[in-house]
Amino acid sequence: MNECYYDKRMDFFYNKTNTDTVDEWTGPQLIVVLCFGTFFCLFIFISNSLVIAAVVKNKRFHFPFYYLLANLAAADFFAGIAYVFLMFNTGPVSKTLTVNRWFLRQGLLDTSLTASLVNLLVIAVERHMSIMRMKIHSNLTKKRVTFLIISIWAIAIFMGAVPTLGWNCLCDITACSSLAPIYSRSYLVFWSVLNLVVFFIMVVVYIRIYMYVQRKTNVLSSHTSGSISRRRTPVKLMKTVMTLLGAFVVCWTPGLVVLLLDGLNCTYCGIQNVKRWFLLLALLNSVMNPIIYSYKDDEMWGTMKRMICCSSEDKSQDRRSSRIPSTVLCRSTDTSGHYIEDGIIQGTICGKGDLGDKGNS
């Protein structure tokens, strides 16, 4: 019967797996990673909070697609928390961690990845339901969307806890991986292949939907004289989610391939030299997503800008209200009605931005 090592610290497992002074960063390398990590995390917290607040504030975003988009922003926010925890528990500190603390460190990262991945998969289903009917938004009820969001996080938490629940090598040292010294190589192979297969499926689904929309749009454009912007709206939303998916695949695939190679016990692949940089690349995905939202969606950018502008405007007017009368009030006039597909060119101040809110959504 194999001996189990639940009471050992991580230095025991690092030594057993013959890892070359893993995570012992020194000098400029450590400083660069920590500086970039700190900047990225601050940006992740602020930008994704703005995205969530924009969806809550603007009633034009009260549709299943945007609820799921806000949940993706929440997953990115969670990824920032996971990385902050990692920064305080990496480097020389790694070898001093207990088994449970190391499981928590990795579990947070795995949970954030799974939450983003499953959320993108659900968005793919939502887009399929709506686009195949040539609608801007699906008919999912709020109850169903809430259930989906709860399910996404339940799956993410479960997948992040799988190694803790037993799929590890604490009782079989020979099966331990190099990158994750208490993870079984079989689990890394399962984890990597599962995620890569889901990547491939989503890419195929989005390409199929995009081709369908383009074909239908071309047919409609030759037989109808309706609004060009209205015909382009499904295509614009598809471009947004395809850009999000593309960024996710590009940022996470290298890290998953490295984990797969480690799971396959590739001793000559040099994975130790690149793993930390691929981790930073994965973190970069949570930085890119809010930029994609605002760049691809004029209404999202306008709402975020008005929130920032109104906040600074309120502070400025508090300071000079006794001298300068306010001629333009920053106010929210979001009402239910039609979503303006191509967006309205937003003003550079709150008053101009609010003019864009006065339509029916």
Side-chain angles (χ1 to χ4, degrees):
M1 183 175 179
N2 293 335
E3 183 180 358
C4 297
Y5 302 94
Y6 296 103
D7 58 339
K8 298 292 185 180
R9 289 191 175 270
M10 287 307 300
D11 58 341
F12 172 82
F13 298 97
Y14 282 123
N15 294 333
K16 284 289 184 180
T17 53
N18 296 319
T19 303
D20 297 330
T21 59
V22 66
D23 285 340
E24 288 189 356
W25 300 0
T26 57
Q29 190 179 41
L30 179 61
I31 294 174
V32 168
V33 171
L34 291 180
C35 287
F36 273 97
T38 301
F39 173 78
F40 285 166
C41 288
L42 288 175
F43 182 84
I44 287 170
F45 293 144
I46 296 173
S47 58
N48 285 287
S49 296
L50 281 174
V51 172
I52 296 171
V55 173
V56 173
K57 175 181 174 63
N58 194 335
K59 292 184 179 180
R60 294 176 185 173
F61 296 148
H62 290 187
F63 294 99
F65 174 78
Y66 286 102
Y67 292 145
L68 294 172
L69 210 63
N71 193 51
L72 185 60
D76 289 329
F77 189 96
F78 185 85
I81 296 175
Y83 194 80
V84 168
F85 188 84
L86 174 65
M87 285 195 299
F88 284 99
N89 293 276
T90 192
V93 179
S94 295
K95 291 188 175 183
T96 66
L97 297 178
T98 63
V99 167
N100 289 335
R101 193 169 183 84
W102 196 94
F103 272 136
L104 177 61
R105 190 188 82 172
Q106 299 304 121
L108 290 174
L109 294 172
D110 294 346
T111 299
S112 66
L113 167 61
T114 305
S116 297
L117 180 62
V118 178
N119 205 95
L120 283 171
L121 185 60
V122 173
I123 289 177
V125 174
E126 190 275 342
R127 287 293 85 198
H128 187 276
M129 292 171 59
S130 57
I131 293 299
M132 289 304 176
R133 296 178 176 86
M134 290 305 292
K135 294 181 179 180
I136 299 176
H137 301 291
S138 67
N139 294 324
L140 285 173
T141 63
K142 288 186 178 181
K143 288 184 178 180
R144 289 181 179 178
V145 174
T146 302
F147 173 77
L148 288 173
I149 291 174
I150 293 174
S151 299
I152 288 170
W153 284 102
I155 294 172
I157 293 171
F158 173 75
M159 292 302 296
V162 165
T164 310
L165 296 175
W167 199 344
N168 54 61
C169 62
L170 294 178
C171 297
D172 186 8
I173 296 298
T174 60
C176 289
S177 70
S178 175
L179 293 180
I182 55 177
Y183 277 14
S184 297
R185 288 194 299 272
S186 60
Y187 173 74
L188 289 188
V189 172
F190 161 78
W191 172 256
S192 305
V193 171
L194 176 64
N195 284 285
L196 291 172
V197 168
V198 175
F199 284 1
F200 178 76
I201 292 173
M202 286 195 296
V203 169
V204 171
V205 169
Y206 277 122
I207 291 176
R208 177 178 178 273
I209 296 175
Y210 185 75
M211 293 175 63
Y212 174 84
V213 171
Q214 288 284 47
R215 185 171 65 252
K216 286 292 184 180
T217 302
N218 291 335
V219 171
L220 289 174
S221 63
S222 62
H223 293 86
T224 64
S225 58
S227 168
I228 294 177
S229 65
R230 187 169 183 82
R231 291 198 301 268
R232 286 179 179 173
T233 299
V235 179
K236 289 186 66 178
L237 290 181
M238 280 306 304
K239 286 182 178 179
T240 299
V241 294
M242 289 183 71
T243 304
L244 289 171
L245 177 61
F248 188 81
V249 170
V250 169
C251 290
W252 279 100
T253 298
L256 290 174
V257 171
V258 166
L259 289 177
L260 178 60
L261 293 174
D262 187 30
L264 296 174
N265 201 23
C266 182
T267 57
Y268 54 86
C269 296
I271 54 180
Q272 293 290 344
N273 299 324
V274 297
K275 67 164 192 173
R276 54 183 63 92
W277 304 111
F278 286 165
L279 180 61
L280 279 178
L281 180 62
L283 176 72
L284 185 62
N285 178 242
S286 298
V287 176
M288 294 171 60
N289 283 345
I291 298 174
I292 294 172
Y293 305 149
S294 58
Y295 179 75
K296 288 290 186 178
D297 194 320
D298 294 335
E299 184 75 12
M300 176 68 73
W301 167 240
T303 303
M304 294 169 64
K305 185 169 62 175
R306 287 194 297 275
M307 287 191 298
I308 298 173
C309 180
C310 287
S311 176
S312 60
E313 183 75 11
D314 289 342
K315 293 180 180 178
S316 176
Q317 289 199 8
D318 285 342
R319 290 193 298 266
R320 54 197 175 97
S321 58
S322 61
R323 294 179 295 167
I324 302 177
S326 174
T327 58
V328 180
L329 296 178
C330 296
R331 60 186 180 274
S332 173
T333 57
D334 292 332
T335 58
S336 61
H338 178 65
Y339 177 82
I340 300 177
E341 289 86 352
D342 264 347
I344 298 174
I345 299 176
Q346 304 294 332
T348 58
I349 62 174
C350 295
K352 292 180 180 180
D354 283 337
L355 293 175
D357 286 339
K358 290 186 178 180
N360 294 325
S361 64

